[in-house]
Amino acid sequence: MLQYQTIPVTPFAQNCSIVWCDETRKAAIIDPGGDLDTLQKAIENLGLTLEQIWLTHAHIDHAGGTAELAERLNLPIVGPHTGDQFWIDRLADQSRMFNFPLSRPFTPTRWLNDGDTVTIGNSTLTVRHCPGHTPGHVVFYSAEAQRAFVGDVLFAGSIGRTDFPGGDFDTLIDSIKQRLWPMGNETVFIPGHGPESSFGEERKRNPYVRDLQF
């Protein structure tokens, strides 16, 4: 069964998730935006073998530590979708803009598309392409654990920003309706910032999406 631990990193308190197969203790890390020493210590304390980096999108608070971590541990970088090449190319500019440690661009080992899967140990997750916040944003969904790692697509009580280059409100709403809701009301999601919630809870209470049907 898939297990996970979420650790807020960077001044933006971005939810970096360590996910692992409890049978093999093999792990992936989702969105290592920074604070790499803290993340590596957590992985060591959990007794895990980190094998992959998975990215939902390439904004600095989610992807800022990717190149360094991949180099430190010789890890493959999986994701996001090619639509985020623009943001990967501009990681150094993003670093300066938001006063983050300098981040280097990278080339993903594997780009992701809608309907792809990623596997860690004996656990397989489905990839959904969910543009709107960024053009190449993806979401990782574990049917067995009823968990979705949604980056900045959806939050408890809110949705992702769409005012950055490549963002689009209507596209984001369509991603939520067509890609997230079919995962089921009971699915718990881990957002890029803030507390966890469920799709059912957001469909009832989130003012941005509560009236969306699919």
Side-chain angles (χ1 to χ4, degrees):
M1 177 69 75
L2 186 80
Q3 305 290 331
Y4 68 97
Q5 179 175 319
T6 300
I7 301 172
V9 296
T10 82
F12 290 0
Q14 189 274 125
N15 287 333
C16 174
S17 291
I18 302 163
V19 298
W20 69 93
C21 164
D22 61 3
E23 296 172 345
T24 65
R25 309 299 291 176
K26 294 178 179 179
I29 191 165
I30 302 176
D31 291 353
D35 300 334
L36 298 184
D37 291 341
T38 298
L39 295 173
Q40 285 188 250
K41 185 63 175 178
I43 291 163
E44 179 183 332
N45 289 341
L46 289 165
L48 304 174
T49 300
L50 184 61
E51 294 193 339
Q52 301 174 47
I53 298 169
W54 298 347
L55 295 179
T56 64
H57 65 295
H59 281 163
I60 185 67
D61 53 327
H62 291 255
T66 299
E68 182 179 346
L69 185 61
E71 186 176 278
R72 278 190 194 184
L73 302 180
N74 192 30
L75 298 173
I77 301 168
V78 180
H81 180 278
T82 53
D84 267 21
Q85 182 71 64
F86 169 90
W87 288 108
I88 293 173
D89 291 342
R90 286 158 179 76
L91 278 168
D93 293 338
Q94 293 185 65
S95 302
R96 288 186 285 269
M97 182 180 298
F98 294 105
N99 198 29
F100 272 56
L102 185 63
S103 178
R104 292 180 281 112
F106 54 85
T107 301
T109 311
R110 175 189 171 197
W111 294 102
L112 293 173
N113 294 299
D114 189 66
D116 284 351
T117 59
V118 292
T119 298
I120 195 73
N122 297 326
S123 294
T124 296
L125 294 82
T126 302
V127 175
R128 301 313 308 262
H129 180 212
C130 293
H133 178 64
T134 68
H137 200 300
V138 298
V139 163
F140 301 99
Y141 170 56
S142 170
E144 64 167 353
Q146 286 192 302
R147 294 294 186 275
F149 300 86
V150 303
D152 286 356
V153 173
L154 181 69
F155 304 114
S158 189
I159 58 174
R161 292 178 60 169
T162 57
D163 57 334
F164 293 123
D168 184 80
F169 177 82
D170 290 339
T171 301
L172 181 66
I173 293 299
D174 190 62
S175 290
I176 293 169
K177 181 172 64 176
Q178 301 295 336
R179 299 285 191 259
L180 300 189
W181 284 178
M183 295 177 190
N185 288 339
E186 300 306 312
T187 294
V188 171
F189 69 92
I190 298 85
H193 306 268
E196 297 181 4
S197 183
S198 70
F199 293 143
E201 186 68 17
E202 298 312 299
R203 292 184 71 189
K204 286 190 296 183
R205 304 185 187 280
N206 189 320
Y208 295 93
V209 295
R210 64 187 173 200
D211 295 325
L212 295 181
Q213 303 298 320
F214 68 92

